[in-house]
Amino acid sequence: YIDGHIATSYPFAKVDAGRPGNSPAILFLLLPLSYLSWTTAKIIWISVSIVFVLATPWLAFRLLPGKLNLLICTMMALVYYGLPGTRAAVVTGQTAVVAIFLILLALWLVRSNRKWLAGLALGIALSKFSVAIPLVLFLMYKRNWATLATALIVQSVAFAGFALLRVGSPFEV
């Protein structure tokens, strides 16, 4: 590994042959961690996840109409941080933490009329499709085709890139 560790026993990367839980867009973002030992990669990923968890409620508050006072926002953020699901997602390294942040970021960018950047965020968030599909339906309802097209392009390019790395057909990915 790039950080000098040598894997002689578990835990080192095991390949799960089952249905993937993430699409290639987020896997490309995670790819640099594969050059590190399990312990180093896990520490970095949990640290990144904690940053996203800390930022998520504050981004959500920006989407709410009107101003909430700082005390109420702080209390709601602390509740979010203390939820068992939030803690479990961070500890187990779930990509849903990143997907939820990116969904909120895409909503904020759509509101700010930055449709292409919103599509980029949504395209990566669609890697965890079970979490991001409601935003796709909402954007279809709002007829925000530019954002949806950008998101689909991000996913298509990621699938094609993954197929090239695999040296196989995109239909096998």
Side-chain angles (χ1 to χ4, degrees):
Y1 294 105
I2 208 167
D3 58 351
H5 287 88
I6 298 173
T8 57
S9 63
Y10 287 104
F12 56 86
K14 295 190 273 184
V15 176
D16 181 12
R19 183 184 61 82
N22 297 294
S23 71
I26 203 155
L27 297 179
F28 278 116
L29 295 177
L30 296 173
L31 185 63
L33 295 177
S34 69
Y35 292 101
L36 302 171
S37 67
W38 172 254
T39 304
T40 305
K42 185 175 180 180
I43 289 169
I44 290 170
W45 181 247
I46 287 177
S47 300
V48 168
S49 294
I50 289 170
V51 169
F52 281 113
V53 164
L54 291 173
T56 295
W58 299 99
L59 182 56
F61 299 146
R62 295 189 76 165
L63 293 169
L64 295 174
K67 286 280 192 182
L68 296 175
N69 92 26
L70 182 60
L71 179 62
I72 291 174
C73 288
T74 303
M75 289 183 347
M76 290 188 339
L78 289 173
V79 167
Y80 173 73
Y81 302 148
L83 289 173
T86 305
R87 288 192 321 266
V90 170
V91 170
T92 59
Q94 293 293 313
T95 55
V97 169
V98 176
I100 290 168
F101 177 83
L102 289 172
I103 289 166
L104 292 172
L105 180 63
L107 281 169
W108 182 76
L109 289 167
V110 164
R111 181 185 278 177
S112 302
N113 206 25
R114 297 179 188 152
K115 296 177 181 179
W116 304 109
L117 285 174
L120 179 63
L122 176 59
I124 297 168
L126 276 171
S127 293
K128 194 72 171 173
F129 54 87
S130 59
V131 177
I133 288 297
L135 180 57
V136 170
L137 297 174
F138 174 75
L139 292 174
M140 289 172 71
Y141 171 74
K142 290 291 192 178
R143 299 177 190 265
N144 195 329
W145 306 121
T147 301
L148 289 168
T150 305
L152 291 176
I153 289 169
V154 167
Q155 282 291 311
S156 299
V157 167
F159 269 96
F162 193 76
L164 289 172
L165 284 176
R166 269 189 85 244
V167 189
S169 165
F171 300 108
E172 294 175 7
V173 175

